[in-house]
Amino acid sequence: MHLQNVDKQAFLDSDWQQRPRLFKRGLANVDLIEPEILAGLAMEDGVDARIIEHRDQSWSVSHGPFEEYESLGEEDWTLLVQAVNEWMPDVHSLLQAFRFLPEWRIDDVMVSFSVAGGGVGPHVDEYDVFIVQGAGRRHWRVGARQSTTPTYPCEDLKQIKESFDAVIDEVLEPGDVLYIPAGCPHDGIALEPCLNYSVGFRAPNQAEWLAQLADMALQTEQLKQRYTDPNLLSDNPSHIVTEAQLSHVKQLLKSAIESSDFDELILRAQSMSKRPLPEPELPMVAEQVPALLTMDNAAVVRTPGSHLLKHFDKPQYFANGELFTVTTEADALAKQLAELSDEKAITELAPLCVDMCGRELLAWLVNQGVIELLID
């Protein structure tokens, strides 16, 4: 699945994180999931799903798993299901259209089903999002980035107080793709029963970055240099934190950020999946791989929601928070697996899996849950 009639580099130069854009008929095939299947998924334990209703000027939010939908009627409600790409391979295929953006930034695909009048109200997101119109039509208004004041019309629903002038005011039809940068107010109202696919991109703030990287450093026992005092003066009151002491703390943290260990921590953290990845019933070992590579009924596929990242100038690959160093001979295999988007017959990997490192890499990725082995 690929974006149509879009100059990707021009989009990155002029629009990405700068201004909203609408791409009419940007995707050819958006028949990815039936509303009944989405509704059934929202009935399952472990699935993050919400129903938002707007009736008589009042908003309400309820959380799944749900038992029935008949009582909701045919107007003014929306079902939203997070990370549908991790459950439905057809929905996961939508991400292929956005592989020109950094993989680690991709968060998940939220799918919403709305009846006529359904929506979540005017709001802003703290991340970039592409909204793909599936079946049906929805009226969208999108404004330029502006200061907004949050308001909560009910628990678990965040909107904005201010009105906004729309720079995009359009009815989206199947295949249309709407890009909304972080901070741009927007509001979408279904004109008829419709499906929308929202591809969100991670954008951690400074505090979230530091918390995530600190957790990873503790797990990997990195960044262990401790604080030491600068030259102290005996007549300095003990309750005063001096400029020299503050500077010393900042220098300690700065040296951590500038270290090569910190680069590794960033890649470890960003290779983590939001949810636990599936583990094989029995761990795979490298010695099993040669036999697997001859099986005509076996295939490999990337697990939805997984990330496989490479350091830009080191032979290091990161998956699910772990690090694997590849040999020159195994690098072509690693690259093939990192770019894997569809099922691939395992026999096609045989010419690339020529040394023990390649076999260990494949086994490691299966054990990490990043690659799934499919045997018919």
Side-chain angles (χ1 to χ4, degrees):
M1 187 173 294
H2 300 281
L3 286 175
Q4 301 180 132
N5 305 316
V6 177
D7 184 329
K8 297 182 179 66
Q9 190 59 55
F11 168 77
L12 293 174
D13 292 340
S14 303
D15 304 314
W16 176 245
Q17 298 187 322
Q18 298 174 62
R19 61 172 180 164
R21 280 292 304 275
L22 174 60
F23 301 101
K24 297 294 289 184
R25 294 174 294 281
L27 289 170
N29 178 21
V30 288
D31 185 16
L32 306 178
I33 189 171
E34 295 294 328
E36 294 80 6
I37 301 298
L38 185 69
L41 184 62
M43 293 179 167
E44 300 291 335
D45 290 329
V47 175
D48 184 358
R50 295 168 291 155
I51 289 176
I52 298 177
E53 301 176 68
H54 187 209
R55 306 181 193 276
D56 301 322
Q57 306 301 313
S58 179
W59 294 88
S60 66
V61 178
S62 52
H63 294 268
F66 300 105
E67 295 183 356
E68 57 86 25
Y69 302 94
E70 288 79 4
S71 61
L72 295 171
E74 298 181 0
E75 293 183 331
D76 303 330
W77 61 270
T78 295
L79 168 67
L80 304 103
V81 185
Q82 295 289 153
V84 179
N85 58 298
E86 298 184 13
W87 303 90
M88 301 292 172
D90 285 349
V91 175
H92 181 69
S93 69
L94 179 63
L95 295 178
Q96 185 64 23
F98 305 99
R99 290 292 290 270
F100 65 97
L101 293 160
E103 177 182 320
W104 69 267
R105 289 287 314 281
I106 296 174
D107 195 9
D108 65 7
V109 182
M110 181 186 74
V111 182
S112 66
F113 170 75
S114 300
V115 295
V120 301
H123 65 285
V124 297
D125 294 318
E126 297 176 348
Y127 52 85
D128 297 277
V129 63
F130 290 91
I131 298 175
V132 179
Q133 184 68 39
R137 298 178 303 141
R138 194 181 197 101
H139 178 208
W140 281 98
R141 297 180 65 253
V142 185
R145 189 177 284 121
Q146 65 180 62
S147 297
T148 57
T149 305
T151 183
Y152 296 86
C154 67
E155 188 175 0
D156 297 333
L157 183 61
K158 183 179 179 181
Q159 297 179 350
I160 57 173
K161 288 184 178 180
E162 294 83 2
S163 59
F164 61 90
D165 294 326
V167 296
I168 292 177
D169 189 340
E170 294 277 354
V171 173
L172 267 64
E173 299 179 332
D176 291 346
V177 179
L178 177 62
Y179 165 64
I180 306 176
C184 291
H186 52 283
D187 187 17
I189 300 174
L191 302 180
E192 59 195 24
C194 68
L195 285 165
N196 286 94
Y197 305 87
S198 299
V199 182
F201 288 76
R202 302 181 185 184
N205 62 32
Q206 291 166 311
E208 291 165 341
W209 268 117
L210 291 172
Q212 191 175 18
L213 294 171
D215 286 343
M216 186 61 68
L218 290 170
Q219 292 175 29
T220 57
E221 298 188 349
Q222 293 172 286
L223 307 184
K224 297 174 70 174
Q225 182 180 347
R226 291 190 177 275
Y227 173 83
T228 58
D229 287 312
N231 294 330
L232 299 179
L233 299 175
S234 62
D235 59 351
N236 185 62
S238 63
H239 68 280
I240 294 178
V241 180
T242 67
E243 181 180 1
Q245 291 165 357
L246 285 175
S247 178
H248 216 54
V249 172
K250 292 178 182 178
Q251 184 58 44
L252 178 69
L253 297 177
K254 183 179 179 181
S255 66
I257 291 174
E258 292 178 347
S259 70
S260 59
D261 282 351
F262 208 77
D263 293 350
E264 180 183 312
L265 288 174
I266 292 173
L267 285 161
R268 284 182 182 270
Q270 294 314 303
S271 71
M272 289 292 295
S273 299
K274 289 179 65 176
R275 295 165 184 78
L277 296 175
E279 297 180 2
E281 294 183 9
L282 293 174
M284 180 183 292
V285 295
E287 288 73 16
Q288 294 175 282
V289 171
L292 287 171
L293 294 173
T294 66
M295 296 176 62
D296 292 331
N297 62 336
V300 291
V301 66
R302 279 280 296 279
T303 303
S306 68
H307 296 282
L308 180 55
L309 310 176
K310 184 187 182 299
H311 191 284
F312 71 95
D313 72 345
K314 295 181 181 179
Q316 295 176 333
Y317 282 81
F318 296 81
N320 206 23
E322 300 293 335
L323 161 67
F324 190 97
T325 301
V326 302
T327 61
T328 301
E329 291 78 11
D331 188 64
L333 173 66
K335 181 180 179 181
Q336 183 94 202
L337 294 173
E339 295 177 350
L340 191 63
S341 58
D342 299 316
E343 285 186 22
K344 180 181 285 291
I346 200 167
T347 53
E348 295 182 34
L349 299 179
L352 303 176
C353 204
V354 295
D355 70 345
M356 180 55 72
C357 181
R359 298 166 190 170
E360 290 175 346
L361 171 66
L362 185 57
W364 177 70
L365 290 173
V366 171
N367 293 334
Q368 290 294 326
V370 174
I371 295 292
E372 291 186 76
L373 178 64
L374 310 175
I375 300 179
D376 184 4

